[in-house]
Amino acid sequence: LGPLGERSLLDTPFSVMTVNHDVITNQQARNINDLAQYMPSVQLEQRGDPNTSRPQSRGFEADVIANSRIDGLNMVTTTPYAAEQFDSLQVLNGLSGALYGPQNPAGTFDYTLKRPTDRRTERFVVGVDSIGAPMENADFSGRVGRHGWFGYRLNLLHQQGTGYVQGSHLRRDMVSGDFDIHLSPNTVIQIDASQYSYSVRGLPGAFSYSTSIQLPQAPDLSREHYGQPQAGYNAETNTALAKIIHHFNDNWSLTLGGLYQNAYRDVFTTANQLLDSAGNYRQTIAAAATAKNFKVGSNLAYLNGTFHTWMLKHQIVVGTNGYTMGNYNPTSAQSYVLGTAQLGNPKAFSSPQPYSSGTYKSADTASQTLLVGDTISLGRHWAIMGTLGWGWMSA
């Protein structure tokens, strides 16, 4: 449970939901949107492409970075991730700023990476999604050296083909490496690095309409030309993180960690505007002029301990976590009006692919929080937990 370390759910005074490894594997999840459907209090607000959604908990929208973490380290959410990379997703619903620092009241989303396994494992999965998008995923893990001092996990993914719309195109590629280096029985260094690229063309664009329009029957979005072959997304997410965990003894431990992430996206989508209640619409295509590059650095340091005072058991944490994020926008972006069509008869329109150009830094955000917490056990059935977070923010 983040700064509190490992806790039993029964001993945790929060609403915590988890999608574990078996669900991710057996349900053949492809992205984080596929994971959210198993949590009744969680939604993902779709903004254009489903892979760039903002998570929500109990109706509150999460921040771009403050509410989401990989192995406890802040990450950007508005970029694609492959579900095949993760071992589990844990969501702490409700207010959790005293544990994680300033954030929206949407809880905390923590994605746990796959780690090296003690038993040597080779897993190869082949599948076909939609109407023709073959997928291959290889996952190798094990330990080598004296007493298994070096653990490795290599995760490779490739998928390319037609999406759920005839004439569309989908491509996903990932390479991920996760390593454990045991310097001693009490000290381990965890190193993780990954690159995930995602590209799609030809899927339907969003529809907008005036409140004065009586909506016609919903269109079948699997038909061609509600989007165009020259419209879509390119995205790439590069992540590197490292943690060192040292156990002084059975009761005291120290965890230090850092993450760097560079997430890039190029969005050039179609937009469909309903013109009347008969279903006539105008279609345009444009390159997004909003943030196309996010650069994130995050950190954590926690000292956890357990001790007794008289008959009372204390589980304490003292530490800090935080992040910095830079947003980069293009200076200009192209757009074209493609033409008009009817919902029951979408049309193919030709045009150049619009591009954005230039780059400037549009925002710079930083947050750092000091944390102190104590859980006092009053016998077998009662406990009191108190945590304090003191944060500094700048933008």
Side-chain angles (χ1 to χ4, degrees):
L1 194 68
L4 299 181
E6 293 187 5
R7 296 287 178 97
S8 166
L9 285 178
L10 292 176
D11 298 332
T12 304
F14 297 98
S15 169
V16 179
M17 299 182 294
T18 300
V19 179
N20 61 31
H21 175 264
D22 290 343
V23 173
I24 296 174
T25 300
N26 294 333
Q27 298 300 321
Q28 302 177 59
R30 296 290 183 256
N31 52 49
I32 61 175
N33 300 57
D34 291 342
L35 308 184
Q37 63 184 321
Y38 301 106
M39 299 181 176
S41 298
V42 172
Q43 303 84 34
L44 285 156
E45 180 204 9
Q46 184 170 323
R47 296 191 174 190
D49 181 73
N51 288 271
T52 58
S53 305
R54 287 196 191 188
Q56 298 179 349
S57 173
R58 296 177 174 175
F60 291 96
E61 182 184 72
D63 182 78
V64 171
I65 182 172
N67 295 79
S68 300
R69 297 162 184 266
I70 293 179
D71 283 1
L73 291 154
N74 289 96
M75 69 179 201
V76 65
T77 60
T78 50
T79 190
Y81 294 94
E84 292 88 350
Q85 183 179 359
F86 299 112
D87 182 77
S88 65
L89 165 62
Q90 177 179 281
V91 178
L92 188 157
N93 291 296
L95 300 173
S96 50
L99 283 180
Y100 291 99
Q103 57 182 224
N104 292 8
T108 300
F109 294 72
D110 196 1
Y111 300 86
T112 302
L113 292 170
K114 291 180 177 179
R115 297 237 59 80
T117 55
D118 292 331
R119 179 180 178 182
R120 183 175 173 180
T121 304
E122 295 92 11
R123 179 180 175 85
F124 186 65
V125 179
V126 177
V128 178
D129 289 352
S130 197
I131 58 177
M135 185 274 296
E136 307 88 36
N137 178 214
D139 188 359
F140 307 104
S141 181
R143 298 188 185 277
V144 296
R146 184 177 175 85
H147 304 301
W149 71 271
F150 182 79
Y152 64 90
R153 188 152 193 169
L154 182 63
N155 199 346
L156 305 174
L157 169 72
H158 174 70
Q159 183 173 23
Q160 184 169 339
T162 304
Y164 64 87
V165 178
Q166 188 67 46
S168 63
H169 182 76
L170 167 71
R171 179 182 57 80
R172 300 194 304 140
D173 290 294
M174 181 190 72
V175 57
S176 174
D178 308 277
F179 308 97
D180 290 350
I181 303 172
H182 289 266
L183 302 181
S184 72
N186 296 326
T187 306
V188 60
I189 297 176
Q190 299 177 348
I191 300 174
D192 307 270
S194 66
Q195 181 184 68
Y196 179 54
S197 61
Y198 170 81
S199 176
V200 67
R201 302 284 191 281
L203 296 185
F207 284 85
S208 61
Y209 54 90
S210 165
T211 55
S212 62
I213 292 178
Q214 182 177 352
L215 292 179
Q217 184 176 353
D220 177 5
L221 295 183
S222 64
R223 294 185 61 176
E224 290 186 80
H225 309 318
Y226 291 122
Q228 300 297 332
Q230 69 272 29
Y233 302 82
N234 291 331
E236 184 177 293
T237 308
N238 301 285
T239 307
L241 66 92
K243 295 171 74 175
I244 181 168
I245 304 170
H246 176 71
H247 291 269
F248 298 99
N249 50 46
D250 292 339
N251 295 323
W252 291 89
S253 65
L254 176 67
T255 304
L256 306 173
L259 173 147
Y260 175 76
Q261 191 170 62
N262 189 345
Y264 172 85
R265 66 188 185 192
D266 191 11
V267 183
F268 39 96
T269 58
T270 53
N272 304 309
Q273 181 185 5
L274 282 177
L275 302 176
D276 52 44
S277 301
N280 294 301
Y281 67 92
R282 178 186 297 112
Q283 190 172 75
T284 59
I285 184 172
T290 55
K292 71 174 186 178
N293 191 201
F294 304 90
K295 295 182 180 181
V296 173
S298 57
N299 64 83
L300 62 81
Y302 304 132
L303 176 66
N304 296 86
T306 301
F307 62 92
H308 291 78
T309 57
W310 297 286
M311 301 296 292
L312 303 179
K313 177 183 176 182
H314 297 264
Q315 292 174 276
I316 68 165
V317 57
V318 178
T320 182
N321 65 50
Y323 63 86
T324 61
M325 181 176 72
N327 290 25
Y328 298 83
N329 288 29
T331 55
S332 62
Q334 297 174 326
S335 63
Y336 306 102
V337 176
L338 299 181
T340 58
Q342 216 277 337
L343 280 181
N345 185 29
K347 296 180 181 179
F349 296 106
S350 62
S351 76
Q353 177 186 317
Y355 289 95
S356 60
S357 60
T359 302
Y360 72 97
K361 194 171 189 177
S362 59
D364 207 353
T365 307
S367 176
Q368 194 71 36
T369 302
L370 290 178
L371 303 167
V372 179
D374 188 7
T375 302
I376 304 173
S377 298
L378 309 174
R380 295 176 55 191
H381 304 291
W382 293 90
I384 299 174
M385 175 184 289
T387 57
L388 170 68
W390 186 7
W392 294 263
M393 295 177 289
S394 63

